[in-house]
Amino acid sequence: MSGELAAYAERAGVLFFFVSLAFILARACRARPMIAALIALLVATLLAIPYNGGLSTIDRFFSLSGPLGAASLVLLAIAVLRSLPGGGGRSSLDPTALAALVVILGVPYYWLELSGRTLFDPYTLGFADPLAPLALALLPFLFWRKGSLAVSATLALGGALFLLGAYASRNLFDYLIDPVAVVLALVLLIDAWTARRRVTRLPGGEGAPPR
Amino acid sequence: MALSAAVMAGRGVGPAPFVVPDGFAPAAAPPVSGFIHPDGPRIQHAASAIELPDGRIAAFWFAGRGEGADDVGIYSAAFDGAAWSDARRIIDGRTTAEALGRRIRTVANPVVFRHPDGAFWLVYVSVTAGRWSGSSLNLSRSPDGETWEPPVRLVSSPFLNLSTLTKGPPLVRADGLVALPVYHELAGTFGELLFLDRDGAVVGKERLTTRCLIQPWAVALDPATAVALLRDYDCGARALMTITGTAGGTAWSDPADTGFVNPNAPTAAIRLDGDTILALTSEETAAGIRLRALRSDDGGKGWFGGALLAGPDWPADYRYPWLLPDRSGRVHLFVTESFPGYSRIRHTILDPAIWSGGQDVR
């Protein structure tokens, strides 16, 4: 992919981040899906307008975040779908496995990368030969068969973006995971945990004494 | 199984011989010493230099109100053997921001080198937010060393692409990859090597050290071996350390102590011939930070001290040296000369005798 196209592709993920957040927040305020979508579009338009020096809010956020990996995009997409009517009850949209995987792999990955405590740098494994994404391509089927659509979608999307050369990076891991994904995953896990606690505390909820 | 296949196929960059620059016979030259841009901005720092096709020497450094200030730019000037041309501002935060479509607060640490394909490459640091730990690398290319293309961003770190800086020239490999010594200073401080392909994309990376050793300056000795000198980042030892690389920079030894103190400042080095390395490193003296000539005749295993550049001709603190031998054998030194409140880039053609013995230059 050319440098200019890659620049657009990299910013598209950041735009999706803000659109998703706007939609989810609007839905949390009980806006109908159509109204929430319009609010999200309005937010996206405003954030894409350049100001004071020629950069938009998207550009400024992108200056710090860089492109988002597939895990972020899939977690956001799931959060959007779950905010739709009936979406919360669909087991195929359960992000727990993906969120747990992102946290379990991401935290030690970034710690090893940033701390310099050891000579092992996991990032180097992402500078893979073409064979590696082909091998990776088998994994989505594996996770799909195991029932984790989110993990499967993340691997498939990340692998596809990598093979397309959608971003400037030549490292496969940059297409799969990023620090924003770890934060999103933590938020989703904490949200799921507190929701479960609320259920167990309700009279007649799971763990409540039998009547 | 698929995952293990992915891991086994990983890393991307394999061993390859180093391309070893020709050695040179050091030539005595008429003494030349002066500031490149005496009337330039208040703070001038971190020079690098290269010989142009017509034999002139081009230097690059950053300058502005202060390190990290938003008015900092990267400047360049050329030396024709007698005098320096007027300095030109070639890149700054604004032009980098325009090219990348990102917010850029400041720029720093230009490193210039000639790619095997003949083009001149200028790698430099930019900071979007925070201090040096918020740095990323950018690459600008030039066909002639004077007109520079808009920069592209190098992607070198998975954590928001933060905290990769550079200081020394690259090693070149026979497979065409450029191995650029860089360093990291966000949570930990350590040296790394980035492998860049002909398009300027980062296609591999190797960690050189664990904590506290940064700003590697690497020299290829032969197709199989390179040696790097490292700055001690004030973690206690305050020692000038070396590491030895093999397999095209994909394998490095544990750090070894040169026996010389390092006052948290970088070192520059060049290969003379065979296994002989000439280096200049900062040394803390009663009068301030001065430069000490170091020499190794056994590929960096043993080092002995040459002259200390001190006395009335060396009246300030000296850090960030850059050494460049030209085609006639003259050795050019570029170094930051720091006075209270301001600094200048000093250019000196060195007398090769400083590496011959312990006689201080006073």
Side-chain angles (χ1 to χ4, degrees):
Chain A
M1 194 177 276
S2 77
E4 201 166 328
L5 276 177
Y8 284 118
E10 289 179 335
R11 280 162 177 75
V14 175
L15 185 64
F16 181 64
F17 174 83
F18 281 108
V19 168
S20 303
L21 278 189
F23 185 87
I24 294 162
L25 286 174
R27 288 290 294 153
C29 296
R30 302 188 185 283
R32 289 180 187 173
M34 188 58 77
I35 301 295
L38 286 172
I39 291 171
L41 275 177
L42 180 66
V43 167
T45 307
L46 290 174
L47 295 183
I49 295 173
Y51 66 95
N52 190 21
L55 295 178
S56 65
T57 304
I58 302 288
D59 289 328
R60 288 165 203 271
F61 184 86
F62 177 73
S63 301
L64 290 169
S65 73
L68 299 185
S72 289
L73 301 176
V74 170
L75 286 172
L76 284 166
I78 288 174
V80 167
L81 292 171
R82 284 172 67 88
S83 73
L84 292 171
R90 290 165 64 179
S91 61
S92 61
L93 293 179
D94 184 1
T96 312
L98 174 59
L101 199 62
V102 165
V103 171
I104 289 166
L105 293 177
V107 170
Y109 171 60
Y110 289 117
W111 182 81
L112 283 166
E113 174 63 25
L114 298 178
S115 71
R117 290 277 179 184
T118 72
L119 283 173
F120 174 62
D121 178 0
Y123 188 57
T124 60
L125 298 174
F127 290 111
D129 291 336
L131 185 62
L134 290 178
L136 189 77
L138 299 175
L139 289 176
F141 293 105
L142 193 70
F143 280 98
W144 178 66
R145 285 179 63 86
K146 293 284 181 189
S148 179
L149 185 63
V151 177
S152 181
T154 298
L155 293 169
L157 179 61
L161 290 170
F162 178 75
L163 289 174
L164 284 170
Y167 301 163
S169 173
R170 299 283 184 89
N171 190 302
L172 176 62
F173 295 161
D174 287 332
Y175 292 82
L176 290 171
I177 189 172
D178 61 89
V180 174
V182 178
V183 175
L184 287 172
L186 278 170
V187 169
L188 283 168
L189 288 175
I190 290 168
D191 183 52
W193 180 70
T194 51
R196 204 166 295 140
R197 276 178 65 90
R198 276 198 301 272
V199 169
T200 56
R201 284 181 180 183
L202 285 173
E206 188 185 332
R211 293 188 175 186
Chain B
M1 190 172 154
L3 182 63
S4 71
V7 170
M8 291 301 288
R11 292 176 62 97
V13 174
F18 293 115
V19 174
V20 184
D22 293 336
F24 68 99
V32 170
S33 191
F35 296 128
I36 298 177
H37 196 198
D39 302 323
R42 192 166 66 86
I43 297 299
Q44 304 175 17
H45 192 37
S48 70
I50 194 149
E51 188 168 13
L52 298 174
D54 62 8
R56 288 179 301 147
I57 303 296
F60 300 82
W61 67 96
F62 75 86
R65 278 198 320 273
E67 278 191 49
D70 57 10
D71 71 330
V72 166
I74 292 172
Y75 289 75
S76 176
F79 180 69
D80 62 7
W84 283 93
S85 67
D86 290 340
R88 286 187 308 126
R89 187 176 171 103
I90 56 168
I91 291 170
D92 56 23
R94 186 182 57 78
T95 53
T96 303
E98 282 173 4
L100 302 178
R102 291 167 181 257
R103 181 180 179 276
I104 302 291
R105 187 169 60 76
T106 194
V107 295
N109 287 22
V111 165
V112 66
F113 56 92
R114 195 145 190 206
H115 191 269
D117 69 8
F120 292 85
W121 287 25
L122 184 74
V123 177
Y124 65 97
V125 165
S126 67
V127 179
T128 294
R131 292 187 59 78
W132 299 125
S133 56
S135 299
S136 302
L137 293 179
N138 309 281
L139 166 66
S140 182
R141 283 175 279 203
S142 166
D144 54 10
E146 299 190 76
T147 52
W148 294 90
E149 294 173 2
V152 294
R153 196 169 183 82
L154 301 182
V155 184
S156 55
S157 161
F159 190 80
L160 310 176
N161 197 24
L162 285 184
S163 201
T164 309
L165 301 95
T166 187
K167 168 65 185 79
L171 301 165
V172 177
R173 296 168 27 124
D175 59 4
L177 293 185
V178 165
L180 181 70
V182 298
Y183 57 104
H184 176 103
E185 53 176 71
L186 182 55
T189 49
F190 48 87
E192 299 177 309
L193 200 63
L194 293 183
F195 297 98
L196 308 178
D197 70 5
R198 290 173 202 278
D199 299 326
V202 178
V203 295
K205 185 174 167 185
E206 192 68 38
R207 188 167 294 176
L208 303 181
T209 64
T210 54
R211 293 167 72 86
C212 293
L213 295 174
I214 63 167
Q215 293 182 336
W217 182 297
V219 177
L221 296 176
D222 57 55
T225 317
V227 170
L229 292 132
L230 296 129
R231 166 180 174 177
D232 185 319
Y233 198 62
D234 251 356
C235 297
R238 291 177 68 83
L240 180 62
M241 308 292 278
T242 63
I243 50 175
T244 303
T246 52
T250 58
W252 291 84
S253 70
D254 289 336
D257 193 340
T258 59
F260 287 87
V261 173
N262 180 250
N264 192 1
T267 300
I270 47 178
R271 173 179 163 272
L272 182 64
D273 54 25
D275 282 345
T276 298
I277 305 168
L278 310 178
L280 271 182
T281 190
S282 294
E283 183 172 302
E284 210 155 17
T285 70
I289 305 289
R290 300 293 186 267
L291 291 173
R292 167 74 71 184
L294 299 179
R295 179 182 177 119
S296 173
D297 290 318
D298 57 3
K301 296 182 189 69
W303 292 85
F304 67 85
L308 181 75
L309 306 186
D313 288 343
W314 302 90
D317 284 344
Y318 297 89
R319 288 189 176 88
Y320 282 67
W322 183 282
L323 289 173
L324 176 72
D326 68 19
R327 65 185 69 168
S328 60
R330 297 179 303 179
V331 179
H332 299 258
L333 163 66
F334 301 85
V335 67
T336 303
E337 184 165 322
S338 301
F339 302 94
Y342 71 101
S343 62
R344 292 285 175 266
I345 301 299
R346 178 164 172 167
H347 166 235
T348 298
I349 296 180
L350 294 169
D351 180 353
I354 63 169
W355 282 288
S356 299
Q359 185 65 43
D360 293 351
V361 177
R362 292 186 186 278

